[in-house]
Amino acid sequence: MATISFDLVSPEQLLFNDEAGMIIVPGKDGDIGVLPRHSKVLSSLRPGRVMVYGENKNLLKSFFVTRGFVEINPEKCIVLAEGVNEMSDLDKSSIQQQIQELESGASDSSKEELAIAQSKIAALDSTFYEKL
Amino acid sequence: MPSLKDIKNKIKSVGSTKKITSAMKMVAASKLRRSQEKAEAARPYSSRLEEMLSSLASSGTSGEGVIQLLTGTGKDERYLIVPVTADRGLCGGFNSSINRETFKFVKSLEGEGKSVQLLTVGKKSRDFFNRIMKDKIVESFADFGSTGAGYDIALEISNKLQNFYFDGQFDKCIIVYNKYVSAITQEVTQQQLIPLDISQPKKISNEKDEKDNSIYIYEPDEETILKDLLPKNVSIQIFKVLLESNAGEQGARMAAMDNATRNAGEMIDNLTLVYNRTRQAFITKELIEIISGAESV
């Protein structure tokens, strides 16, 4: 089966740079599944999971990204993400604690952080896409 | 004529200075490598972002709000200058060249009748401009720690800039920083941050675009993406500048300390020569005294 090369870049470093069988990215208007020879798309991202699959549709890695962009062309898929965590690095209890602290805040920035933290929890809870 | 003891003390003190400067040189060299790696790691992100932006910007949108980061306010009256220096000294002309350049630039803009404000980054520019034009400083960022500024600081600066911009406090923002050319050379560079100067990134991506001219599908749509992309681009540009400046600082310090070490070595050689001559003269004098004493008996 064909592969598509996938880059995950944050401002600080290159996190993933390899061939993949399929990638699912959280586009602003809904999740986008990217297979090799996908048509050209430029989309912004919402906070959510980026799932990377190998050639046999086995899950290689999953990341959580907060905001960013994805550029897709037939050979390459590039995710530019502002904040990236590996899903396995996220700790549910500390995020829940963070949510509790943020819920009291009224400023715009704390609301934004709250939304991100909540989507982190949602991402941790969901088992979607884990097995195809 | 200094006594033997004076010279000996001097040699000793120059020797310990030499030890310090050579240690600083080695520290700077290892930090330079790290900051170079950092700057390298940030490059894919900023270059992709620039490419995206240039393909979007050519679609020629206009309007209010965030788009003004691209189109400008249409005026050319008030400037915000952002000099980027290091927090620490002992790195040759690194900081003073930025300060001098910024000062000259401010004076020339004022000569043209524009109003100028300053947002300083780094302790050295803050201290310098606090002394000579305190009233112009709107904000100062300093104390980034030993590892240099991270993305969070770039974000903070960029948010501040955009707040000022959308409050209508300035029309143009120009950042003055040391561009990292090589380990021993830095170039004082002025870059326009707001409104965005897209003539540069366009040049880079042109060759590729010509080969591959099919059209992107934009999701949600071009304007929304552009509105997301523009503020992010400002912070990325600032981040890039901070990284370059940090690498440049380490390079400049390394070169300055290398020079200082070499000068100290030379000084020690000279002083040792003087010391030995003086000692020799002293011995000869004593011998003559003894001989002439013996002769007279």
Side-chain angles (χ1 to χ4, degrees):
Chain A
M1 208 190 110
T3 54
I4 182 165
S5 97
F6 174 62
D7 283 4
L8 178 64
V9 227
S10 82
E12 265 124 358
Q13 57 182 319
L14 189 65
L15 286 129
F16 191 97
N17 176 17
D18 209 349
E19 296 289 318
M22 179 169 103
I23 310 113
I24 295 177
V25 291
K28 197 141 215 161
D29 289 348
D31 292 351
I32 306 172
V34 185
L35 286 165
R37 293 160 57 203
H38 195 283
S39 61
K40 292 172 101 179
V41 174
L42 201 66
S43 171
S44 48
L45 301 179
R46 64 174 205 282
R49 290 185 301 169
V50 171
M51 320 279 282
V52 190
Y53 301 90
E55 274 191 62
N56 309 316
K57 299 282 184 296
N58 50 322
L59 187 63
L60 289 180
K61 262 195 163 138
S62 56
F63 301 93
F64 184 88
V65 298
T66 58
R67 285 175 303 229
F69 303 90
V70 61
E71 188 188 343
I72 305 162
N73 61 44
E75 298 94 37
K76 212 168 164 58
C77 171
I78 303 150
V79 172
L80 304 179
E82 201 160 300
V84 186
N85 299 93
E86 259 195 58
M87 283 302 283
S88 51
D89 292 347
L90 292 180
D91 175 33
K92 199 167 179 179
S93 56
S94 69
I95 299 168
Q96 259 154 356
Q97 201 185 338
Q98 194 192 355
I99 289 183
Q100 268 165 12
E101 281 165 25
L102 286 168
E103 266 168 348
S104 49
S107 68
D108 282 348
S109 61
S110 71
K111 270 186 192 147
E112 227 178 294
E113 294 221 7
L114 183 65
I116 289 171
Q118 275 165 347
S119 51
K120 270 184 191 168
I121 292 284
L124 277 172
D125 284 342
S126 99
T127 52
F128 257 82
Y129 306 138
E130 262 168 26
K131 265 220 157 75
L132 291 177
Chain B
M1 183 90 184
S3 76
L4 277 181
K5 189 158 170 39
D6 287 341
I7 300 176
K8 216 173 179 175
N9 281 340
K10 202 161 182 193
I11 292 175
K12 230 166 138 189
S13 82
V14 175
S16 46
T17 310
K18 187 183 167 188
K19 268 187 203 154
I20 294 171
T21 56
S22 75
M24 277 184 84
K25 183 199 150 191
M26 281 187 273
V27 171
S30 83
K31 277 191 178 169
L32 171 69
R33 211 177 37 237
R34 225 174 314 146
S35 32
Q36 258 178 310
E37 274 164 20
K38 263 194 188 166
E40 211 108 301
R43 211 160 287 158
Y45 191 95
S46 63
S47 61
R48 301 304 320 186
L49 203 65
E50 271 173 11
E51 272 176 37
M52 265 191 206
L53 204 57
S54 62
S55 69
L56 276 168
S58 42
S59 58
T61 27
S62 66
E64 288 287 297
V66 185
I67 297 293
Q68 286 195 334
L69 287 175
L70 181 67
T71 55
T73 53
K75 279 180 287 185
D76 184 26
E77 290 298 311
R78 288 156 307 161
Y79 281 73
L80 183 74
I81 315 289
V82 185
V84 181
T85 61
D87 272 339
R88 285 190 272 173
L90 286 180
C91 42
F94 182 83
N95 293 319
S96 52
S97 59
I98 289 286
N99 288 339
R100 202 180 333 115
E101 191 72 19
T102 310
F103 181 72
K104 263 202 294 201
F105 190 45
V106 169
K107 285 288 164 219
S108 81
L109 281 175
E110 278 181 333
E112 291 167 29
K114 323 266 191 211
S115 84
V116 183
Q117 281 177 313
L118 290 167
L119 185 149
T120 63
V121 179
K123 220 185 255 172
K124 291 288 164 183
S125 63
R126 183 193 66 190
D127 295 351
F128 180 77
F129 289 106
N130 249 335
R131 271 200 308 276
I132 55 167
M133 33 178 81
K134 200 174 188 335
D135 50 316
K136 290 197 184 353
I137 297 181
V138 284
E139 190 82 34
S140 292
F141 291 88
D143 287 319
F144 304 132
S146 59
T147 51
Y151 185 64
D152 46 335
I153 291 177
L155 207 61
E156 212 179 304
I157 297 173
S158 116
N159 285 341
K160 207 73 190 207
L161 277 179
Q162 286 172 45
N163 283 344
F164 284 146
Y165 186 61
F166 294 120
D167 280 354
Q169 291 202 29
F170 65 90
D171 303 316
K172 270 187 182 173
C173 171
I174 292 164
I175 195 162
V176 185
Y177 70 105
N178 273 307
K179 191 175 180 157
Y180 178 85
V181 184
S182 75
I184 43 166
T185 33
Q186 298 85 34
E187 207 178 270
V188 179
T189 312
Q190 293 179 6
Q191 187 190 346
Q192 187 167 314
L193 274 184
I194 302 171
L196 178 69
D197 194 4
I198 50 163
S199 53
Q200 282 174 317
K202 248 188 174 171
K203 252 185 253 158
I204 307 164
S205 60
N206 254 354
E207 322 146 20
K208 275 191 222 147
D209 278 357
E210 242 131 40
K211 270 187 258 159
D212 194 11
N213 242 339
S214 53
I215 298 158
Y216 275 100
I217 303 165
Y218 293 100
E219 233 186 76
D221 57 79
E222 277 180 57
E223 209 183 312
T224 321
I225 295 183
L226 196 57
K227 273 182 184 163
D228 268 353
L229 212 49
L230 282 170
K232 203 148 290 177
N233 182 58
V234 175
S235 30
I236 287 296
Q237 293 299 336
I238 294 174
F239 185 54
K240 208 172 85 178
V241 165
L242 290 179
L243 287 177
E244 288 231 5
S245 169
N246 190 260
E249 178 199 345
Q250 304 306 341
R253 179 164 299 124
M254 197 178 83
M257 288 303 114
D258 189 40
N259 266 337
T261 310
R262 205 170 319 123
N263 287 344
E266 241 166 63
M267 205 163 165
I268 289 177
D269 285 349
N270 286 339
L271 282 172
T272 316
L273 195 69
V274 174
Y275 176 80
N276 285 339
R277 274 206 189 126
T278 321
R279 192 176 53 110
Q280 197 63 53
F282 198 70
I283 293 168
T284 315
K285 204 180 96 195
E286 270 184 354
L287 274 178
I288 290 171
E289 270 166 14
I290 293 169
I291 293 167
S292 55
E295 264 176 2
S296 66
V297 174

